[in-house]
Amino acid sequence: MGKIRLKNIRIHSNHGCLQEEMLIGSDYRVDLEISADLSQPAVSDKLSETVDYVHLNNIVKEEMAIRSNLLEHVAKRIIDRILLEINEVTEIDVEVAKINPPIGGDVESVSVNLRYTR
């Protein structure tokens, strides 16, 4: 078993319940960690035998481009896509953070973390 981590994927998107968030958008950070059996690609050195982190990054970018009211909803969509498209993944941990959220205070970010085990 092994893990692949994508840290600090930075994306601008239009998630949120406030009108201004829907129109101007906000900056987001996504951290993703997946578990899979990486023993074979560790020996073979073949991309076709591992979980391609370019594919993971594309899933995150595509799902983050679809507007949602809640970060929970976006995180769940990312998980669902990975499970659907990449059979080798056995566990997923995803954190979606809104940078400088408009919540009336000096807050660096708010985040939601979801974990799923197949």
Side-chain angles (χ1 to χ4, degrees):
M1 203 51 77
K3 294 183 185 293
I4 296 175
R5 294 183 182 100
L6 281 74
K7 295 183 178 183
N8 201 21
I9 302 167
R10 292 175 302 278
I11 298 171
H12 188 86
S13 194
N14 296 72
H15 307 299
C17 297
L18 301 176
Q19 189 68 25
E20 66 212 44
E21 293 176 301
M22 294 177 203
L23 295 174
I24 3 176
S26 299
D27 292 324
Y28 293 84
R29 185 195 78 241
V30 178
D31 293 322
L32 177 67
E33 179 179 289
I34 64 96
S35 296
D37 182 357
L38 302 178
S39 58
Q40 184 64 30
V43 173
S44 72
D45 197 28
K46 293 181 182 175
L47 178 61
S48 62
E49 294 179 354
T50 193
V51 177
D52 185 352
Y53 51 79
V54 172
H55 188 181
L56 292 170
N57 187 55
N58 286 337
I59 289 171
V60 169
K61 290 190 310 187
E62 289 167 11
E63 291 304 320
M64 287 296 292
I66 302 168
R67 206 196 80 68
S68 290
N69 288 328
L70 302 177
L71 299 180
E72 293 90 330
H73 190 254
V74 180
K76 179 69 166 77
R77 282 201 329 263
I78 292 169
I79 288 171
D80 290 346
R81 271 280 301 280
I82 292 170
L83 292 173
L84 179 68
E85 295 181 19
I86 308 172
N87 293 328
E88 296 82 7
V89 172
T90 58
E91 186 174 77
I92 303 169
D93 190 327
V94 63
E95 181 175 0
V96 179
K98 183 181 292 191
I99 310 303
N100 296 318
I103 60 174
D106 186 13
V107 178
E108 181 180 313
S109 67
V110 295
S111 65
V112 167
N113 186 283
L114 293 182
R115 176 174 288 164
Y116 184 86
T117 302
R118 191 188 313 247

